Amino acid sequence: MVRVISQETYDEAVNENMEVFSMQPEEAIEEAIKQFESQGVDLTNIIKDLILTQDNDLILTYLDQLRSSMTKKHYERIPHVLDKLAIELDKDIARRVYAGKQGCYGILLDIMKNCEYDTLILKSAIKTITSLMTGNPDLLDDKGVSIQMEILDKNKDIPVLQCLLRWIRECCIKHELNRQNIFNAHIFDRLKKILTRKDATASEVRDACSVLRALVLDDDIRHEYGKSHEHATVIAKGALDVLTGLLSRFKNEKAVMGDLMITLASLIVRNEFCQDVVDAGGLKFVLDVIINYPDSEKLNWQSLKLLKALAGNDDVKSHIVTAGSAPLIVSVISRFKTSESIVAAGLACISALTLRSSSNAGVFYDCGAPHIIVDAMKSYSKSVNVLMHACWTIRNMSVRNKSECKEFIAYGVEDVLRSALALHGSKLESDIKAALRDLELKVELKERWTGKGAKIHTQAEQREKRE
């Protein structure tokens, strides 16, 4: 179990090192850190150089100045103080936790509430509270959610709304309850209004998409079961057509296209949603992106992500391959072979497209995929992610295509797989052995369960025994 201490306990240890052992401040800090870490104490939320910088005094000073300005209604100095406070909060998580304990969150909410019509102050306050809650989302409460929705409803200033959407996104990251509370406050209806506005700017669309993706995350380890699937279903039913339509509208804006594709990929959680995107022209668009932007690593990665998501529907999966995607995917992996993220995404895409489809696998054989896959495994022999997706791909391409799978063997896949097994052991053991088995190569499989040899009695025998 991880141990934690307070800022005061840490400061006392540093001061003791200076006073009792006559250490210099830097030496005292170093010794205190070693001491606590040796005891298994987590110092993530501790401001380690406080004795040198006195940043706590700065944070407290800024908070006192904000309180005073609000009490006296001297609003002209507030933006300047907020900017300086944000600089301190951006330094590390320890300062943000400390500021939260000193009431920073409540002060910032009060500023937003009382200065909602002052664009300059409101924007600065939202930026500062975003800094405060980056990696520190536990501070959000019902009052905060209410203020977020009020600003979305009342404020028409685009820069303010963009700052607000970034704050909302930050509240959703690694916090399941925040996501649910924000979603239950009907934020989707408000986001849809932004996306369907004819004059919505590229930056507004990107920020709205970032919030949609945050609402369907499942990254809070404190909650075993989240509602990401439910959120994605509601959003997809109401916005797939809107998002797909925006692809054509922003076809010349690479950043927006990428955000739209990765957002669609995160929302396609049901069979029919895959078909809906294809029917709306999404497949043709993503293939055109790969063709028209051959040198854009990020766009190609986002395209592969969307293709993999669309492959969740078996009918769509066949349509993707017959539409000519196989040579494009192989080409992307080959062109960006120095990019681990592209290679992993490409292999995952091939794996999804060849799952339970011998005809799709045959097309990838014709495109020279085995050579590319084996080369990728050699290049990224230390990457568990790449090797795992490669093993899945080999299995899906081999299990129903026994004659063609000899191509993998010809390119030396056996040695590569056995080397990976020796290097990574249990992390990839089941995947590698399954790939070797489906390639019909020699492999020692573990018998996971064997019966104890106990006799199985019929119901009649059991009844007779009881009698």
Side-chain angles (χ1 to χ4, degrees):
M1 183 176 179
V2 177
R3 297 177 60 195
V4 294
I5 59 172
S6 66
Q7 184 71 49
E8 291 75 16
T9 301
Y10 173 84
D11 293 341
E12 286 175 7
V14 174
N15 286 324
E16 182 179 345
N17 287 339
M18 293 172 62
E19 294 171 3
V20 177
F21 301 106
S22 301
M23 293 182 180
Q24 294 298 315
E26 294 83 356
E27 187 183 5
I29 291 170
E30 183 179 352
E31 183 61 31
I33 292 173
K34 287 181 181 178
Q35 175 188 349
F36 285 119
E37 288 182 344
S38 68
Q39 297 170 8
V41 176
D42 183 5
L43 298 176
T44 303
N45 294 339
I46 299 299
I47 306 175
K48 300 176 183 65
D49 57 349
L50 198 58
I51 194 75
L52 299 176
T53 62
Q54 294 300 311
D55 280 350
N56 65 326
D57 289 342
L58 280 177
I59 291 173
L60 291 176
T61 298
Y62 296 148
L63 293 179
D64 287 340
Q65 289 175 357
L66 292 173
R67 288 191 189 95
S68 176
S69 296
M70 289 296 294
T71 301
K72 298 176 181 178
K73 298 186 177 181
H74 293 166
Y75 299 141
E76 64 279 355
R77 291 190 66 251
I78 288 180
H80 179 62
V81 178
L82 286 171
D83 291 343
K84 291 194 292 184
L85 176 58
I87 291 172
E88 292 303 314
L89 297 175
D90 286 336
K91 288 183 178 179
D92 56 37
I93 184 65
R95 287 168 174 79
R96 297 194 280 276
V97 171
Y98 178 82
K101 291 178 179 177
Q102 303 305 317
C104 183
Y105 174 77
I107 294 171
L108 295 173
L109 287 189
D110 289 341
I111 292 174
M112 284 187 275
K113 188 69 176 176
N114 291 291
C115 303
E116 59 181 332
Y117 298 110
D118 190 317
T119 300
L120 179 61
I121 294 178
L122 184 58
K123 183 179 175 182
S124 294
I126 295 174
K127 282 185 174 181
T128 306
I129 203 168
T130 303
S131 295
L132 174 69
M133 297 183 66
T134 298
N136 187 33
D138 287 354
L139 294 171
L140 189 70
D141 57 11
D142 291 342
K143 182 180 179 181
V145 174
S146 177
I147 288 177
Q148 288 174 343
M149 299 308 121
E150 284 180 23
I151 297 173
L152 270 177
D153 289 337
K154 296 178 181 179
N155 202 293
K156 304 302 178 185
D157 185 78
I158 292 176
V160 168
L161 291 176
Q162 287 181 255
C163 290
L164 177 68
L165 292 175
R166 290 163 193 167
W167 172 32
I168 294 173
R169 175 186 176 275
E170 205 59 54
C171 293
C172 293
I173 296 175
K174 294 186 178 180
H175 205 294
E176 178 62 26
L177 292 182
N178 283 357
R179 282 193 288 268
Q180 293 184 24
N181 290 336
I182 291 172
F183 192 84
N184 292 337
H186 307 293
I187 190 174
F188 172 57
D189 296 333
R190 295 170 169 94
L191 293 175
K192 189 173 180 180
K193 287 180 181 179
I194 294 174
L195 294 172
T196 53
R197 267 196 7 244
K198 292 184 178 180
D199 61 342
T201 64
S203 55
E204 283 182 282
V205 171
R206 293 190 67 191
D207 287 325
C209 284
S210 72
V211 176
L212 290 179
R213 294 195 300 274
L215 289 169
V216 299
L217 289 173
D218 187 17
D219 58 356
D220 190 345
I221 60 174
R222 296 170 295 185
H223 292 266
E224 187 175 357
Y225 301 105
K227 290 192 174 182
S228 61
H229 188 276
E230 291 89 335
H231 292 172
T233 300
V234 172
I235 295 170
K237 287 181 177 179
L240 279 186
D241 57 338
V242 175
L243 294 168
T244 309
L246 288 170
L247 284 172
S248 299
R249 178 179 161 190
F250 290 98
K251 61 183 178 182
N252 296 320
E253 307 239 10
K254 292 199 293 184
V256 186
M257 283 193 299
D259 271 11
L260 287 167
M261 286 193 295
I262 206 70
T263 303
L264 284 169
S266 69
L267 297 176
I268 303 173
V269 295
R270 282 172 45 172
N271 207 45
E272 64 268 27
F273 296 158
C274 303
Q275 190 65 56
D276 290 341
V277 172
V278 172
D279 292 343
L283 174 59
K284 182 181 184 306
F285 186 90
V286 72
L287 295 181
D288 286 344
V289 168
I290 296 176
I291 294 170
N292 296 329
Y293 297 93
D295 300 322
S296 174
E297 179 180 337
K298 189 171 184 180
L299 267 182
N300 278 269
W301 175 80
Q302 290 160 329
S303 299
L304 291 171
K305 285 288 188 180
L306 180 52
L307 282 177
K308 177 181 179 294
L310 290 172
N313 179 311
D314 285 345
D315 292 333
V316 171
K317 180 164 49 181
S318 298
H319 185 38
I320 291 172
V321 174
T322 57
S325 68
L328 293 177
I329 295 168
V330 172
S331 176
V332 170
I333 299 174
S334 180
R335 283 200 313 277
F336 295 100
K337 58 186 177 183
T338 58
S339 169
E340 182 177 342
S341 59
I342 285 275
V343 172
L347 294 176
C349 192
I350 297 175
S351 174
L353 289 168
T354 55
L355 178 64
R356 300 187 304 274
S357 178
S358 59
S359 59
N360 283 1
V363 175
F364 276 100
Y365 278 111
D366 293 340
C367 296
H371 188 196
I372 296 296
I373 293 167
V374 175
D375 279 352
M377 296 176 74
K378 292 177 181 177
S379 299
Y380 295 98
S381 59
K382 295 181 180 179
S383 171
V384 172
N385 192 34
V386 169
L387 292 173
M388 178 184 67
H389 287 299
C391 288
W392 294 354
T393 303
I394 291 169
R395 290 192 62 193
N396 292 345
M397 290 181 64
S398 302
V399 70
R400 289 178 172 82
N401 300 67
K402 293 303 181 184
S403 60
E404 295 158 298
C405 76
K406 293 176 182 177
E407 283 191 41
F408 283 107
I409 301 173
Y411 287 119
V413 74
E414 182 175 6
D415 290 340
V416 176
L417 287 169
R418 297 196 188 282
S419 296
L421 180 59
L423 180 62
H424 297 285
S426 59
K427 291 181 182 177
L428 290 170
E429 182 179 6
S430 60
D431 293 316
I432 291 173
K433 287 188 174 182
L436 288 168
R437 179 200 63 206
D438 290 339
L439 286 167
E440 299 185 331
L441 295 170
K442 185 178 179 180
V443 59
E444 294 181 7
L445 299 174
K446 292 181 181 179
E447 194 168 11
R448 298 294 182 184
W449 179 84
T450 56
K452 295 182 179 180
K455 183 181 178 181
I456 300 176
H457 297 278
T458 65
Q459 289 183 346
E461 289 173 330
Q462 292 173 350
R463 187 166 52 250
E464 182 181 344
K465 188 176 181 181
R466 286 196 299 270
E467 293 173 351

Coordinates of all heavy atoms in Angstrom, one line a residue, residues 137-175:
P137 N -8.9 16.3 -10.8 CA -10.3 16.6 -11.1 C -11.3 16.3 -9.9 O -12.5 16.6 -10.0 CB -10.6 15.5 -12.2 CG -9.7 14.4 -11.9 CD -8.4 15.0 -11.3
D138 N -10.8 15.8 -8.8 CA -11.7 15.6 -7.7 C -12.4 16.8 -7.1 O -13.4 16.7 -6.4 CB -10.9 14.9 -6.5 CG -10.5 13.4 -6.8 OD1 -11.0 12.9 -7.9 OD2 -9.8 12.8 -6.1
L139 N -11.9 18.0 -7.4 CA -12.4 19.2 -6.9 C -13.8 19.5 -7.4 O -14.6 20.2 -6.8 CB -11.5 20.4 -7.2 CG -10.1 20.4 -6.5 CD1 -9.2 21.5 -7.1 CD2 -10.3 20.5 -5.0
L140 N -14.2 19.0 -8.6 CA -15.4 19.4 -9.2 C -16.6 18.9 -8.3 O -16.6 17.8 -7.8 CB -15.6 18.7 -10.6 CG -16.8 19.2 -11.4 CD1 -16.6 20.6 -11.9 CD2 -17.0 18.3 -12.6
D141 N -17.6 19.8 -8.2 CA -18.8 19.5 -7.4 C -20.0 19.9 -8.2 O -19.9 20.4 -9.4 CB -18.8 20.2 -6.0 CG -18.6 21.7 -6.1 OD1 -18.7 22.2 -7.2 OD2 -18.4 22.3 -5.1
D142 N -21.2 19.8 -7.6 CA -22.4 20.1 -8.3 C -22.5 21.6 -8.7 O -23.0 22.0 -9.8 CB -23.7 19.8 -7.5 CG -23.9 18.3 -7.3 OD1 -23.3 17.5 -8.1 OD2 -24.6 17.9 -6.4
K143 N -21.9 22.5 -7.9 CA -21.9 23.9 -8.2 C -21.1 24.2 -9.4 O -21.4 25.0 -10.3 CB -21.4 24.7 -7.0 CG -21.4 26.2 -7.2 CD -20.8 26.9 -5.9 CE -20.8 28.4 -6.2 NZ -20.2 29.2 -5.0
G144 N -19.9 23.5 -9.5 CA -19.1 23.7 -10.6 C -19.7 23.2 -11.9 O -19.7 23.9 -12.9
V145 N -20.4 22.1 -11.9 CA -21.1 21.6 -13.1 C -22.2 22.6 -13.5 O -22.4 22.8 -14.7 CB -21.7 20.2 -12.8 CG1 -22.6 19.7 -14.0 CG2 -20.6 19.2 -12.5
S146 N -22.9 23.1 -12.5 CA -24.0 24.0 -12.8 C -23.5 25.3 -13.5 O -24.1 25.8 -14.4 CB -24.7 24.4 -11.5 OG -25.7 25.4 -11.7
I147 N -22.3 25.8 -13.0 CA -21.7 27.0 -13.6 C -21.3 26.7 -15.0 O -21.4 27.5 -15.9 CB -20.6 27.5 -12.7 CG1 -21.1 28.1 -11.4 CG2 -19.7 28.5 -13.5 CD1 -20.0 28.6 -10.4
Q148 N -20.7 25.5 -15.2 CA -20.3 25.1 -16.6 C -21.5 25.2 -17.5 O -21.4 25.7 -18.7 CB -19.7 23.7 -16.5 CG -18.4 23.6 -15.9 CD -17.9 22.2 -15.8 OE1 -18.7 21.2 -15.9 NE2 -16.6 22.0 -15.5
M149 N -22.6 24.6 -17.1 CA -23.8 24.6 -18.0 C -24.3 26.0 -18.2 O -24.8 26.3 -19.3 CB -24.8 23.7 -17.5 CG -24.4 22.2 -17.3 SD -23.7 21.5 -18.8 CE -22.1 21.0 -18.3
E150 N -24.3 26.8 -17.2 CA -24.8 28.2 -17.3 C -24.0 29.0 -18.3 O -24.5 29.7 -19.1 CB -24.8 28.9 -16.0 CG -25.9 28.5 -15.0 CD -25.8 29.2 -13.7 OE1 -25.2 30.3 -13.6 OE2 -26.3 28.7 -12.7
I151 N -22.7 28.8 -18.3 CA -21.8 29.6 -19.2 C -22.1 29.1 -20.6 O -22.1 29.9 -21.6 CB -20.3 29.4 -18.8 CG1 -20.1 30.0 -17.4 CG2 -19.4 30.0 -19.9 CD1 -18.7 29.8 -16.9
L152 N -22.2 27.8 -20.8 CA -22.5 27.2 -22.1 C -23.8 27.8 -22.7 O -23.9 28.1 -23.9 CB -22.6 25.7 -22.1 CG -21.3 24.9 -22.3 CD1 -21.6 23.4 -22.1 CD2 -20.7 25.2 -23.7
D153 N -24.8 28.0 -21.8 CA -26.1 28.5 -22.2 C -26.1 30.0 -22.5 O -26.7 30.4 -23.5 CB -27.2 28.1 -21.2 CG -27.5 26.6 -21.1 OD1 -27.2 26.0 -22.1 OD2 -27.9 26.2 -20.0
K154 N -25.4 30.7 -21.7 CA -25.5 32.2 -21.7 C -24.5 32.9 -22.5 O -24.7 33.9 -23.1 CB -25.6 32.7 -20.3 CG -26.7 32.3 -19.4 CD -26.6 32.9 -18.0 CE -27.8 32.4 -17.2 NZ -27.7 33.0 -15.8
N155 N -23.3 32.4 -22.5 CA -22.1 33.1 -23.1 C -22.0 32.8 -24.6 O -22.0 31.6 -24.9 CB -20.8 32.8 -22.3 CG -19.8 33.9 -22.5 OD1 -19.3 34.1 -23.6 ND2 -19.5 34.6 -21.4
K156 N -21.8 33.8 -25.4 CA -21.7 33.6 -26.8 C -20.3 33.9 -27.3 O -20.0 33.9 -28.5 CB -22.7 34.5 -27.5 CG -24.1 34.3 -27.1 CD -24.6 32.8 -27.3 CE -26.0 32.6 -26.9 NZ -26.4 31.2 -27.0
D157 N -19.4 34.3 -26.4 CA -18.0 34.6 -26.8 C -17.2 33.4 -27.1 O -17.1 32.5 -26.2 CB -17.3 35.4 -25.6 CG -15.9 35.9 -26.0 OD1 -15.8 36.9 -26.8 OD2 -14.9 35.2 -25.6
I158 N -16.7 33.2 -28.3 CA -16.1 32.0 -28.7 C -14.9 31.6 -27.9 O -14.7 30.5 -27.5 CB -15.8 32.0 -30.2 CG1 -17.1 32.0 -31.0 CG2 -14.9 30.8 -30.7 CD1 -16.9 32.2 -32.5
P159 N -13.9 32.6 -27.7 CA -12.8 32.2 -26.9 C -13.1 31.7 -25.5 O -12.5 30.8 -24.9 CB -12.0 33.5 -26.8 CG -12.3 34.2 -28.1 CD -13.8 33.9 -28.3
V160 N -14.1 32.3 -24.8 CA -14.6 31.9 -23.5 C -15.1 30.5 -23.6 O -14.8 29.6 -22.7 CB -15.7 32.8 -23.0 CG1 -16.3 32.2 -21.7 CG2 -15.1 34.2 -22.6
L161 N -15.9 30.2 -24.6 CA -16.5 28.9 -24.8 C -15.5 27.8 -25.0 O -15.5 26.7 -24.5 CB -17.6 28.9 -25.9 CG -18.8 29.6 -25.6 CD1 -19.7 29.6 -26.9 CD2 -19.6 29.1 -24.4
Q162 N -14.4 28.2 -25.8 CA -13.3 27.2 -26.0 C -12.6 26.9 -24.7 O -12.3 25.8 -24.4 CB -12.4 27.8 -27.0 CG -13.0 27.8 -28.4 CD -12.0 28.3 -29.5 OE1 -12.1 29.4 -29.9 NE2 -11.0 27.5 -29.8
C163 N -12.3 27.9 -23.9 CA -11.7 27.7 -22.6 C -12.5 26.8 -21.7 O -12.0 26.0 -21.0 CB -11.4 29.1 -21.9 SG -10.1 30.0 -22.7
L164 N -13.8 27.1 -21.8 CA -14.8 26.3 -20.9 C -14.8 24.8 -21.3 O -14.7 23.9 -20.5 CB -16.2 26.9 -21.1 CG -17.3 26.1 -20.3 CD1 -17.1 26.3 -18.8 CD2 -18.7 26.6 -20.8
L165 N -14.8 24.6 -22.7 CA -14.8 23.2 -23.1 C -13.5 22.5 -22.7 O -13.5 21.3 -22.4 CB -14.9 23.1 -24.7 CG -16.3 23.6 -25.2 CD1 -16.3 23.6 -26.7 CD2 -17.4 22.7 -24.7
R166 N -12.4 23.2 -22.7 CA -11.1 22.6 -22.3 C -11.2 22.3 -20.8 O -10.6 21.3 -20.3 CB -10.0 23.5 -22.6 CG -9.7 23.6 -24.1 CD -8.9 24.8 -24.5 NE -8.9 24.9 -26.0 CZ -8.5 26.0 -26.6 NH1 -7.9 27.0 -25.9 NH2 -8.6 26.1 -27.9
W167 N -11.8 23.1 -20.0 CA -12.0 22.9 -18.6 C -12.8 21.6 -18.3 O -12.5 20.7 -17.6 CB -12.6 24.1 -17.9 CG -12.9 23.8 -16.4 CD1 -12.3 23.0 -15.5 CD2 -14.0 24.4 -15.7 NE1 -12.9 23.1 -14.3 CE2 -14.0 23.9 -14.4 CE3 -15.0 25.4 -16.0 CZ2 -14.9 24.3 -13.4 CZ3 -15.9 25.8 -15.1 CH2 -15.8 25.2 -13.8
I168 N -14.0 21.6 -19.1 CA -14.9 20.4 -18.9 C -14.1 19.1 -19.3 O -14.3 18.1 -18.6 CB -16.1 20.6 -19.8 CG1 -16.9 21.8 -19.3 CG2 -17.0 19.3 -19.8 CD1 -18.1 22.2 -20.2
R169 N -13.4 19.2 -20.4 CA -12.6 18.0 -20.8 C -11.7 17.5 -19.7 O -11.6 16.3 -19.3 CB -11.8 18.3 -22.0 CG -10.9 17.1 -22.5 CD -10.0 17.5 -23.6 NE -9.1 16.5 -24.0 CZ -7.9 16.3 -23.4 NH1 -7.5 17.1 -22.4 NH2 -7.1 15.3 -23.7
E170 N -11.0 18.5 -19.0 CA -10.0 18.1 -18.0 C -10.7 17.5 -16.8 O -10.2 16.6 -16.1 CB -9.3 19.4 -17.6 CG -7.9 19.2 -16.9 CD -7.0 18.4 -17.9 OE1 -6.8 18.9 -19.0 OE2 -6.5 17.4 -17.5
C171 N -12.0 17.9 -16.5 CA -12.7 17.4 -15.4 C -13.1 15.9 -15.7 O -13.3 15.2 -14.7 CB -14.0 18.2 -15.2 SG -13.7 19.9 -14.6
C172 N -13.2 15.5 -16.9 CA -13.6 14.2 -17.3 C -12.5 13.1 -17.3 O -12.8 11.9 -17.1 CB -14.3 14.2 -18.7 SG -15.8 15.1 -18.8
I173 N -11.3 13.6 -17.4 CA -10.2 12.7 -17.5 C -9.9 12.0 -16.2 O -9.7 12.6 -15.2 CB -8.9 13.4 -18.0 CG1 -9.2 13.9 -19.5 CG2 -7.7 12.5 -18.0 CD1 -8.0 14.8 -20.0
K174 N -9.9 10.6 -16.3 CA -9.7 9.8 -15.1 C -10.6 10.1 -13.9 O -10.2 9.9 -12.8 CB -8.2 9.9 -14.6 CG -7.2 9.4 -15.7 CD -5.8 9.4 -15.2 CE -4.9 8.8 -16.2 NZ -3.4 8.8 -15.8
H175 N -11.9 10.4 -14.2 CA -12.8 10.6 -13.2 C -14.2 10.3 -13.7 O -14.9 11.0 -14.3 CB -12.8 12.1 -12.7 CG -13.3 12.3 -11.3 ND1 -14.6 12.0 -10.9 CD2 -12.6 12.7 -10.2 CE1 -14.7 12.3 -9.6 NE2 -13.5 12.7 -9.2

